[in-house]
Amino acid sequence: MADNARAKRLADLIREVVAQKLQRGIKDPRLGSHVTITDTRVTGDLREATVFYTVYGDDEERKAAAAGLESAKGILRSEVGRAAGVKFTPTLTFVADALPDTAKTIEDLLDKARQSDAKVRETSAGASYAGGADPYRKPADDEAADATDTDGDASE
C-alpha cells in the first residue's frame, strides 16, 4: 500500500492532466469550456481515482457532460498513465460535485434568515418593554419594599 503523500501527489497530477486534456485535447462538444475539475481522490492502493467535476449550465448540459466524460474516460486514463509513469494506471470514475448546489442552498437559507431578521427589526422598532426597561430586582428595591412592609404592619 502506498503512503498518503504519494496518493495525494498522484491525485493532484490526475486533476491537472484531466483538466488540461479536457481543455485542449478532447474535441467533444459536450465537454466544452463549461466543465471544471474540482477535486480528485485516489485510493490508498493507487488503483482507483475519483474525479469530481462541476458543469456550468442547466440539467441538460450536466447530463451531456456526464455522458461526454464517460465516453472520454479511456483517452483520459491513457493520458494519465503517460504523465504519471506508475506501474498501474488508476481507473477513473467521474462524479458530479455537489458543492455548488450545497453552497446555493446555504446562500438561500442565509437570505431567508436575513429577511426574517429584517421583519423582526421592523416589528420591534416602536415596541416597548412589557415589564419596564429593567425587569430584574435590585437589592436597593428589596430594602425599599421591606421598609414599606414593616411600616404597613405597624399601622394596623
Side-chain angles (χ1 to χ4, degrees):
M1 186 180 279
D3 60 352
N4 287 338
R6 186 172 179 199
K8 175 78 171 124
R9 283 193 312 266
L10 183 61
D12 291 342
L13 178 72
I14 290 171
R15 184 178 65 241
E16 290 174 17
V17 168
V18 169
Q20 287 176 359
K21 190 69 175 173
L22 284 176
Q23 190 172 17
R24 295 190 191 112
I26 304 222
K27 304 214 187 296
D28 192 341
R30 298 175 291 185
L31 299 175
S33 61
H34 55 276
V35 176
T36 304
I37 304 299
T38 57
D39 192 20
T40 305
R41 296 188 186 143
V42 178
T43 58
D45 60 358
L46 306 179
R47 296 217 172 231
E48 297 176 11
T50 304
V51 179
F52 295 92
Y53 68 95
T54 59
V55 179
Y56 182 72
D58 58 358
D59 288 335
E60 190 174 309
E61 289 176 346
R62 289 180 187 145
K63 289 177 185 176
L69 287 170
E70 284 299 315
S71 69
K73 188 184 287 189
I75 297 168
L76 294 171
R77 185 173 180 212
S78 299
E79 194 66 30
V80 166
R82 249 185 247 118
V86 292
K87 183 177 183 179
F88 182 81
T89 304
T91 58
L92 301 178
T93 304
F94 292 96
V95 177
D97 199 352
L99 186 65
D101 295 333
T102 305
K104 181 161 177 27
T105 303
I106 290 172
E107 284 296 324
D108 291 344
L109 290 172
L110 288 172
D111 287 341
K112 188 176 179 182
R114 282 186 203 107
Q115 291 172 358
S116 175
D117 287 348
K119 286 180 184 176
V120 169
R121 259 187 253 114
E122 288 175 12
T123 303
S124 66
S128 62
Y129 294 105
D134 189 9
Y136 299 105
R137 286 188 184 177
K138 295 184 174 77
D141 294 341
D142 290 339
E143 291 173 5
D146 289 340
T148 30
D149 285 342
T150 53
D151 292 342
D153 291 336
S155 64
E156 287 182 3

